[in-house]
Amino acid sequence: MGEREKLLEVKNLKKYFPVKGGVLQRTIGHVKAVDDVSFEIYKGETLGIVGESGSGKSTLGRTILRLLDPTEGQVIFEGDDISTLSNRKMRPYRKDMQMVFQDPFASLNPRMSVGEIIEEPMIVQNTLTKKERKEKVVDLLAKVGLPAEARSKYPHEFSGGQRQRIGIARALTLNPKLIIGDEPVSALDVSVQSQVLNLMGDLQDEFDLTYLFIAHDLSVVKHISDRVGVMYLGKMAEIGPKDKIFENPLHPYTQALLSAVPIPDMERKREKITLKGELPSPSNPPSGCPFHTRCPEAHERCKVELPELLHQGNEQYVACHLYTSEEK
Ligand code: ADP
Ligand code: MG
């Protein structure tokens, strides 16, 4: 592997939501949706982020895009710290970073035609003539596998998979560098999921895209990811190259998530690890390691001391007291 260039760097990022209570609606606590997360994304790669519902994945994506303001920490895009930029100063970065949402129906305006939906970001950006915009709409529709006639139709006239293709076309209009897919195939039928995943893979090559791909299930990110990060209660439990995460998961939580993924080759039989209990509330996370209340291997230290994310070699990092030494 040659020298890799960072596109995005997330440093100690936190996003806390205030919890209000009492008659005076005072802040009585915080939901620590994203709690001290650091990682980087290299140009051209796909970083998959997985974790149960409520682990902070969407909040992470939205905070990176500055749809939410970070509570603390930095988001660095192509070397520029964008974490505290004003709306006006954010504008040139907005076109470089786009989001594809889980529910294309909710994210596409039902009263706008597909042509208008795809054209809208270009009108806002105001760099192309009307004719150029129309040409681009037809071109993008073709790229995502839809006929030119789709232009004059409305979102409800399409299937779920087709709607997600429209959402992807819209995300591509301003030639972004980074696409954050927030469970973009989770709402689709399994047969359609792979078609949309394949499309995203093809578009990545064609347009030199970098992906942050969010899913709640490891099987979805398996084929598309170069690296995978596993989130638990707002923190990164483990992150590393995809092959390491799938063949040699270190964190007991990653092992549990992986044990739920069906494996095609019958030689390696895995025990399904069932986690006890529910995901604790991020407004009242457990002390020490946030996973200790459900961890089959928890010991005394885990109840009191938060494990750091440490390098275990081969670019695999894990936050777990079972692995203490930091390898160089
Ligand atoms: P995920 O995408 O992994 O399911 P989210 O980022 O949506 O997780 O949510 C993480 C936590 O933050 C959840 O407990 C959720 O209820 C809470 N949360 C998300 N958005 C808000 C918000 N705008 N206000 C208050 N709490 C929120
Ligand atoms: Mg989510």
Side-chain angles (χ1 to χ4, degrees):
M1 209 184 302
E3 195 49 30
R4 294 180 303 172
E5 228 182 309
K6 275 178 209 164
L7 181 68
L8 181 86
E9 220 178 327
V10 171
K11 282 187 175 169
N12 305 105
L13 193 67
K14 296 184 182 178
K15 180 62 193 180
Y16 292 180
F17 296 107
V19 178
K20 309 272 185 194
V23 278
L24 299 175
Q25 286 294 299
R26 287 213 184 95
T27 300
I28 53 168
H30 286 95
V31 176
K32 298 175 175 178
V34 173
D35 197 12
D36 201 2
V37 167
S38 302
F39 61 87
E40 52 252 2
I41 306 182
Y42 299 97
K43 285 191 177 155
E45 79 163 343
T46 297
L47 175 65
I49 295 283
V50 294
E52 281 162 278
S53 173
S55 55
K57 307 179 299 295
S58 295
T59 304
L60 175 66
R62 298 170 67 86
T63 309
I64 290 172
L65 292 186
R66 288 291 312 280
L67 301 173
L68 294 167
D69 289 331
T71 304
E72 250 181 63
Q74 275 123 41
V75 177
I76 296 161
F77 186 78
E78 294 194 306
D80 300 336
D81 186 346
I82 60 164
S83 37
T84 56
L85 294 183
S86 65
N87 253 333
R88 191 176 54 82
K89 292 212 168 121
M90 244 334 266
R91 200 171 296 159
Y93 297 94
R94 294 238 182 255
K95 68 169 176 32
D96 288 337
M97 299 185 273
Q98 295 293 324
M99 195 140 176
V100 176
F101 297 91
Q102 171 171 351
D103 182 355
F105 207 45
S107 59
L108 302 175
N109 186 336
R111 283 181 296 275
M112 280 164 80
S113 71
V114 168
E116 288 167 338
I117 287 171
I118 299 175
E119 190 183 357
E120 191 189 35
M122 295 186 267
I123 297 176
V124 175
Q125 201 73 18
N126 197 21
T127 52
L128 299 178
T129 65
K130 194 169 173 149
K131 183 164 171 285
E132 287 168 332
R133 291 198 305 263
K134 297 275 184 257
E135 282 166 7
K136 181 128 189 185
V137 168
V138 173
D139 184 44
L140 283 168
L141 283 170
K143 298 277 190 224
V144 299
L146 291 172
E149 301 82 71
R151 243 168 59 202
S152 49
K153 293 187 179 168
Y154 288 80
H156 73 264
E157 298 177 71
F158 295 89
S159 67
Q162 289 171 327
R163 280 200 289 264
Q164 198 52 292
R165 288 172 191 267
I166 298 164
I168 292 168
R170 179 182 159 96
L172 290 175
T173 45
L174 303 177
N175 307 315
K177 293 172 180 165
L178 175 70
I179 290 201
I180 298 187
D182 188 359
E183 308 211 28
V185 300
S186 299
L188 305 176
D189 290 344
V190 176
S191 58
V192 179
Q193 285 189 0
S194 51
Q195 293 167 12
V196 173
L197 287 173
N198 287 339
L199 171 67
M200 288 185 73
D202 293 344
L203 294 170
Q204 179 167 40
D205 295 339
E206 183 166 357
F207 294 102
D208 240 340
L209 298 167
T210 303
Y211 286 152
L212 179 71
F213 193 101
I214 295 170
H216 57 255
D217 177 346
L218 269 169
S219 61
V220 171
V221 298
K222 178 157 191 184
H223 296 290
I224 198 164
S225 302
D226 298 295
R227 290 187 303 132
V228 172
V230 178
M231 282 184 76
Y232 187 80
L233 275 184
K235 292 185 186 292
M236 199 64 85
E238 178 164 6
I239 185 167
K242 191 239 323 250
D243 293 346
K244 295 280 163 220
I245 298 295
F246 278 85
E247 283 157 30
N248 184 32
L250 297 177
H251 201 290
Y253 181 58
T254 314
Q255 291 169 2
L257 284 184
L258 198 63
S259 77
V261 176
I263 34 171
D265 59 309
M266 298 302 286
E267 286 184 30
R268 288 184 306 145
K269 280 227 168 66
R270 264 192 307 245
E271 289 273 321
K272 175 138 165 50
I273 305 167
T274 312
L275 292 177
K276 47 184 178 182
E278 295 288 306
L279 189 69
S281 162
S283 61
N284 187 20
S287 60
C289 172
F291 187 56
H292 88 257
T293 54
R294 298 166 79 195
C295 182
E297 312 205 40
H299 47 285
E300 282 308 309
R301 186 181 177 194
C302 308
K303 298 179 188 167
V304 289
E305 197 183 323
L306 179 70
E308 271 182 79
L309 193 66
L310 297 178
H311 189 209
Q312 304 299 320
N314 300 311
E315 289 187 65
Q316 190 173 12
Y317 294 78
V318 65
C320 172
H321 290 309
L322 293 172
Y323 312 89
T324 42
S325 67
E326 173 122 344
E327 282 182 32
K328 292 289 168 255

